[in-house]
Amino acid sequence: MSASYARSSVRRSLQQCTVLGMLNLVFLSGEARMRIQSMRLRNLFVCIAVVIVALCSASPSRAQGETRFGVWDNSTNPNNVMTYEPYEKGGMKITVSDPRDPKAGWSYVTMFDGKYQTVTGQNGAETAVEIINDKSTRIYNKRNGVVYQVVINTLSDDNNTINNEYIRMDKDGKITGVTHVTYNRRKK
């Protein structure tokens, strides 16, 4: 009797669960179903937004490097040459050199993330680069912890000219001068 009683007890419990489950489905009408549907749509929109942001934020840095890779000659000073080359995944190494004196060159790397990196070949110097748009970057130059120059680096539409606006500042951030330099892509 105890075994049959246990089986019937289990059977009754299962029937009650099934009935309760069906009642939940019936009572999950209207507002509850709308909330579940609303949550699903919200989650879908959030996922789509995350993917779009990831794609949009990844593209400019890659484009900044690829369109600039190569050797660039200063249009008025042949002893000032910039070389842009790939660095890690999506970054760039910039080397400024003087053909007359190779030891006078200096360089830095960037991932276009606005983080300061040490400048090799200049004591106490750091540089940070951030993207303005697909053709322009903003470069912050620090010496001994103080920003002394901001450079707006703009690539021409045909990708063969770089225009640099050098904005020099004193230790208080007051602008003390602005100069312009054009670099032309060296023909291969």
Side-chain angles (χ1 to χ4, degrees):
M1 184 162 163
S2 66
S4 67
Y5 177 75
R7 276 188 293 241
S8 66
S9 177
V10 168
R11 200 174 303 129
R12 265 190 308 243
S13 294
L14 287 174
Q15 287 171 345
Q16 287 174 348
C17 287
T18 303
V19 170
L20 286 174
M22 292 175 73
L23 286 175
N24 278 339
L25 287 175
V26 170
F27 288 111
L28 267 183
S29 60
E31 187 181 331
R33 285 187 187 156
M34 295 278 281
R35 276 189 269 141
I36 289 172
Q37 213 170 22
S38 174
M39 286 179 5
R40 286 181 182 156
L41 282 174
R42 185 190 67 210
N43 290 343
L44 176 65
F45 286 128
V46 167
C47 289
I48 289 171
V50 167
V51 168
I52 289 171
V53 167
L55 290 174
C56 290
S57 65
S59 297
S61 66
R62 186 172 28 254
Q64 287 290 340
E66 291 171 0
T67 55
R68 283 176 163 76
F69 294 157
V71 179
W72 299 80
D73 296 309
N74 184 315
S75 64
T76 59
N77 180 357
N79 298 312
N80 180 260
V81 176
M82 292 193 306
T83 303
Y84 292 78
E85 55 192 318
Y87 174 77
E88 292 186 357
K89 187 176 180 184
M92 188 165 65
K93 179 180 180 184
I94 298 90
T95 303
V96 178
S97 60
D98 179 348
R100 298 171 306 169
D101 184 8
K103 293 179 184 174
W106 51 273
S107 66
Y108 63 92
V109 297
T110 183
M111 297 305 286
F112 302 100
D113 55 7
K115 293 182 181 173
Y116 281 95
Q117 300 289 333
T118 301
V119 176
T120 303
Q122 289 186 351
N123 288 333
E126 296 177 284
T127 296
V129 181
E130 61 186 13
I131 293 171
I132 297 172
N133 59 41
D134 64 331
K135 293 285 186 179
S136 300
T137 60
R138 184 178 300 112
I139 305 163
Y140 298 93
N141 292 321
K142 264 187 190 182
R143 186 152 292 137
N144 300 319
V146 177
V147 175
Y148 69 93
Q149 182 173 258
V150 175
V151 182
I152 305 300
N153 176 293
T154 304
L155 183 63
S156 64
D157 288 337
D158 68 359
N159 296 335
N160 288 316
T161 304
I162 291 177
N163 289 296
N164 279 351
E165 303 300 327
Y166 294 89
I167 305 156
R168 287 179 306 288
M169 296 173 283
D170 65 15
K171 63 180 177 169
D172 298 319
K174 181 181 174 194
I175 295 174
T176 60
V178 177
T179 55
H180 174 85
V181 175
T182 298
Y183 290 87
N184 297 311
R185 185 185 297 273
R186 186 177 288 173
K187 306 291 185 227
K188 294 179 181 178

